[in-house]
Amino acid sequence: MGKKRKHSETTHDEAQPQKEDVTPERPARTLLGWKDKNEVTNEVEDNSPIFRNREKVLVTCSRRINYRYRHLMLNVVSLLPHCKKENKVESKETKGATLNELVELKNCSSCLFFECRKQKDLYLWIAKCPNGPSVKFLVSAVHTMEELKLTGNQLKGSRPILTFSANFEKDAHWKLLKEMLLQIFETPKDLRRTKPFHDHVFVFSIVDDHIWFRNYQISVPHNESDKLPRGGLDKMSMIEVGPRFCLNPIKIFGGSFGGPTLYENPFYVSPNQIRTLDKRKKAGKFAKKVKAKTRRKMHEMSNPLEPDEFADM
């Protein structure tokens, strides 16, 4: 059995200070490597405050949407690496409050809502949540990637180059639409799911007061060593990838999915009015035929033919 330690020895050992091994704090991780905190504070003090684009877009659609319009929505989701897809939302009068709540839950700042009516008409809502503004478009001339079967092939997650026609600087409402499209379709800088290079172009052009969207791949010729030759940028070509669609602006609201009307398109004609006019044209053709038959009968009754004396032979 071992001897007990004396009281004096235990107090002496406890009195001695123990050396603590303190590990240095790991610096912050960046894209270029590890960075010390002192360097970061010096950079922030020297330069102006750093702007970080934290734009995230919520993409969703209404119930009872057509399959072509659903494929168009999925094409837009594949083009935007900074978007979040949500389940279908019921298209009612209270859809604005529901969508604003979903945007807040998903930690997004914008929303693209594809609303389908009568399984024929597609409307696109572009809104900045929760304070607005928001725009309602009528989508027409829809062609998805699967329908076009084009030869262009872009890398998923790459950053697009946005180009706008000179017509966007003409009026105030076109300037507002340009800024909203720029904020929504532009990819944030330090996003985790993006690639650090550009290989396709988003083209927004105004023709006949409609916004036409095209997506092109940037094709650069390469030599045998798979490097860009000198002067090769002059031989670049654009190959369309898709999808295609046309946006007809209906109204611009001051709030998110509603509010005061800032702009209303005076040349907008709803699809229901177009269908009723077509029905009236078809009904007018049938009425003309009926009137022609009655006139022919009245003419035959008023002008009877003389009996033919050779009818019995």
Side-chain angles (χ1 to χ4, degrees), residues 50 70 229 240 280 287:
I50 302 173
R70 188 178 69 251
E240 188 173 357
R280 286 177 184 175

Side-chain angles (χ1 to χ4, degrees), residues 149-169:
K149 296 181 181 179
L150 298 171
T151 57
N153 185 18
Q154 67 182 35
L155 186 64
K156 188 173 182 180
S158 59
R159 298 173 60 83
I161 298 174
L162 272 68
T163 60
F164 296 88
S165 61
N167 303 338
F168 278 95
E169 301 297 331

Side-chain angles (χ1 to χ4, degrees), residues 3 42 68-69 83 111 116 129 142 157 161 239 245 254 261 270 276 297:
K3 295 182 180 180
N42 293 334
R68 294 184 67 249
Y69 299 150
C83 74
C111 182
C116 186
C129 300
V142 174
I161 298 174
I239 305 173
F245 55 88
T261 303
S270 66
T276 53
K297 287 182 180 179

Side-chain angles (χ1 to χ4, degrees), residues 12-218:
H12 181 69
D13 294 338
E14 292 176 357
Q16 292 180 355
Q18 296 180 357
K19 296 181 179 180
E20 296 180 358
D21 297 334
V22 180
T23 58
E25 187 177 357
R26 174 182 276 184
R29 174 67 171 167
T30 61
L31 292 175
L32 302 177
W34 303 100
K35 184 176 282 189
D36 193 3
K37 276 189 176 183
N38 298 326
E39 297 178 3
V40 176
T41 53
N42 293 334
E43 290 179 1
V44 174
E45 289 176 359
D46 295 340
N47 302 330
S48 59
I50 302 173
F51 170 73
R52 296 188 184 278
N53 186 4
R54 300 298 185 188
E55 187 77 26
K56 291 182 181 178
V57 184
L58 180 71
V59 181
T60 184
C61 63
S62 62
R63 295 187 182 275
R64 295 173 292 276
I65 192 172
N66 196 0
Y67 72 97
R68 294 184 67 249
Y69 299 150
R70 188 178 69 251
H71 289 174
L72 175 65
M73 184 194 69
L74 295 177
N75 294 154
V76 173
V77 169
S78 64
L79 292 177
L80 303 179
H82 60 287
C83 74
K84 293 184 179 181
K85 186 177 175 296
E86 183 57 35
N87 295 329
K88 297 178 181 179
V89 178
E90 190 67 38
S91 178
K92 293 182 178 179
E93 295 180 356
T94 59
K95 65 178 179 293
T98 306
L99 289 170
N100 286 329
E101 186 176 357
L102 284 174
V103 168
E104 186 178 358
L105 289 174
K106 291 290 184 177
N107 196 17
C108 298
S109 57
S110 302
C111 182
L112 291 177
F113 179 58
F114 291 85
E115 184 180 6
C116 186
R117 296 287 182 89
K118 298 183 178 180
Q119 295 185 351
K120 298 178 182 179
D121 309 327
L122 180 64
Y123 298 92
L124 175 62
W125 286 85
I126 296 179
K128 300 290 291 182
C129 300
N131 299 323
S134 58
V135 190
K136 185 179 181 181
F137 294 99
L138 175 66
V139 185
S140 59
V142 174
H143 299 280
T144 60
M145 290 182 181
E146 292 80 11
E147 291 176 348
L148 292 173
K149 296 181 181 179
L150 298 171
T151 57
N153 185 18
Q154 67 182 35
L155 186 64
K156 188 173 182 180
S158 59
R159 298 173 60 83
I161 298 174
L162 272 68
T163 60
F164 296 88
S165 61
N167 303 338
F168 278 95
E169 301 297 331
K170 184 171 60 176
D171 296 324
H173 64 279
W174 291 122
K175 290 181 181 179
L176 177 61
L177 291 177
K178 177 182 177 181
E179 185 63 29
M180 293 185 67
L181 293 172
L182 187 66
Q183 292 183 17
I184 289 176
F185 284 89
E186 188 180 20
T187 307
K189 182 180 179 182
D190 297 328
L191 193 66
R192 178 172 51 87
R193 289 176 287 181
T194 55
K195 308 298 187 298
F197 50 86
H198 306 268
D199 69 338
H200 62 287
V201 181
F202 290 164
V203 179
F204 296 93
S205 56
I206 299 175
V207 180
D208 297 333
D209 292 332
H210 290 62
I211 300 176
W212 298 79
F213 174 82
R214 295 290 184 271
N215 180 24
Y216 296 97
Q217 177 199 355
I218 303 173

Side-chain angles (χ1 to χ4, degrees), residues 164-309:
F164 296 88
S165 61
N167 303 338
F168 278 95
E169 301 297 331
K170 184 171 60 176
D171 296 324
H173 64 279
W174 291 122
K175 290 181 181 179
L176 177 61
L177 291 177
K178 177 182 177 181
E179 185 63 29
M180 293 185 67
L181 293 172
L182 187 66
Q183 292 183 17
I184 289 176
F185 284 89
E186 188 180 20
T187 307
K189 182 180 179 182
D190 297 328
L191 193 66
R192 178 172 51 87
R193 289 176 287 181
T194 55
K195 308 298 187 298
F197 50 86
H198 306 268
D199 69 338
H200 62 287
V201 181
F202 290 164
V203 179
F204 296 93
S205 56
I206 299 175
V207 180
D208 297 333
D209 292 332
H210 290 62
I211 300 176
W212 298 79
F213 174 82
R214 295 290 184 271
N215 180 24
Y216 296 97
Q217 177 199 355
I218 303 173
S219 179
V220 182
H222 294 272
N223 56 6
E224 296 178 357
S225 60
D226 199 20
K227 292 182 180 179
L228 187 67
R230 290 180 179 271
L233 295 176
D234 300 335
K235 301 177 182 179
M236 283 194 311
S237 60
M238 309 293 287
I239 305 173
E240 188 173 357
V241 181
R244 299 177 182 174
F245 55 88
C246 176
L247 301 176
N248 184 13
I250 302 172
K251 283 186 179 182
I252 300 177
F253 300 97
S256 178
F257 298 100
T261 303
L262 302 180
Y263 170 76
E264 185 173 1
N265 190 0
F267 306 106
Y268 170 71
V269 181
S270 66
N272 291 328
Q273 295 178 357
I274 295 173
R275 283 192 287 267
T276 53
L277 291 174
D278 292 340
K279 287 181 180 178
R280 286 177 184 175
K281 287 181 181 179
K282 293 178 181 178
K285 290 181 181 179
F286 180 73
K288 287 180 181 178
K289 290 180 180 179
V290 173
K291 288 180 180 179
K293 286 182 180 180
T294 54
R295 283 198 303 267
R296 181 63 182 175
K297 287 182 180 179
M298 295 296 291
H299 179 73
E300 289 177 354
M301 291 173 64
S302 61
N303 300 308
L305 295 174
E306 295 180 357
D308 190 4
E309 58 183 5

